[in-house]
Amino acid sequence: MSNTQSQQLMVEWHSINWRKLERNVYKLQKRIYQASARGDVKAYRRLQKTLMKSWSARALAVRRITQDNQGKKTAGVDGVKSLTPKQRLELTGNLNLGSKVSPTRRVWRKRSDLWVYLQ
């Protein structure tokens, strides 16, 4: 990726209208609540799937974790401490808030002749 493309991605991340994204996610969450209040299971399940797949929700999630969160400088399981705007956009695109989640990193330690699973 060239330097100009990298700068363009940075500008794109910084030029996102966060208020608009928050409004979109809030409206969708409100529709989910209204559907569950009237007992329309099919509608609120569909709306939940829509929320999980929406770019707005994923971008807000990435922003909360990488910028707003108090532990934003703490390294995760992968050892990465902070992300560039380009990496944030890539993460937003690659983030899959779908069905199955992957398990936490497992660490097996030997303690008194037993293998113990620690999280």
Side-chain angles (χ1 to χ4, degrees), residues 11-28:
V11 169
E12 285 178 9
W13 180 260
H14 292 300
S15 66
I16 292 174
N17 187 353
W18 296 107
R19 289 263 199 219
K20 185 176 180 182
L21 295 185
E22 287 170 355
R23 196 173 337 117
N24 289 343
V25 171
Y26 175 76
K27 283 181 180 179
L28 200 47

Side-chain angles (χ1 to χ4, degrees), residues 58-76:
R58 287 184 291 156
L60 281 173
V62 169
R63 180 175 182 235
R64 280 198 188 118
I65 297 301
T66 59
Q67 285 182 294
D68 299 342
N69 197 11
Q70 190 174 9
K72 62 188 171 189
K73 300 250 185 231
T74 307

Side-chain angles (χ1 to χ4, degrees), residues 23-103:
R23 196 173 337 117
N24 289 343
V25 171
Y26 175 76
K27 283 181 180 179
L28 200 47
Q29 289 171 335
K30 187 175 170 183
R31 287 177 61 196
I32 291 169
Y33 171 76
Q34 289 170 344
S36 67
R38 43 170 209 270
D40 192 354
V41 176
K42 186 176 179 182
Y44 83 75
R45 292 259 170 87
R46 179 179 41 82
L47 289 168
Q48 283 177 333
K49 285 181 185 176
T50 305
L51 179 65
M52 297 300 267
K53 291 182 181 195
S54 77
W55 190 86
S56 299
R58 287 184 291 156
L60 281 173
V62 169
R63 180 175 182 235
R64 280 198 188 118
I65 297 301
T66 59
Q67 285 182 294
D68 299 342
N69 197 11
Q70 190 174 9
K72 62 188 171 189
K73 300 250 185 231
T74 307
V77 178
D78 53 2
V80 178
K81 285 190 179 182
S82 60
L83 298 175
T84 63
K86 183 186 109 187
Q87 290 171 323
R88 289 186 194 126
L89 271 177
E90 287 176 8
L91 182 60
T92 301
N94 296 336
L95 189 61
N96 185 13
L97 300 173
S99 56
K100 275 255 187 195
V101 296
S102 56

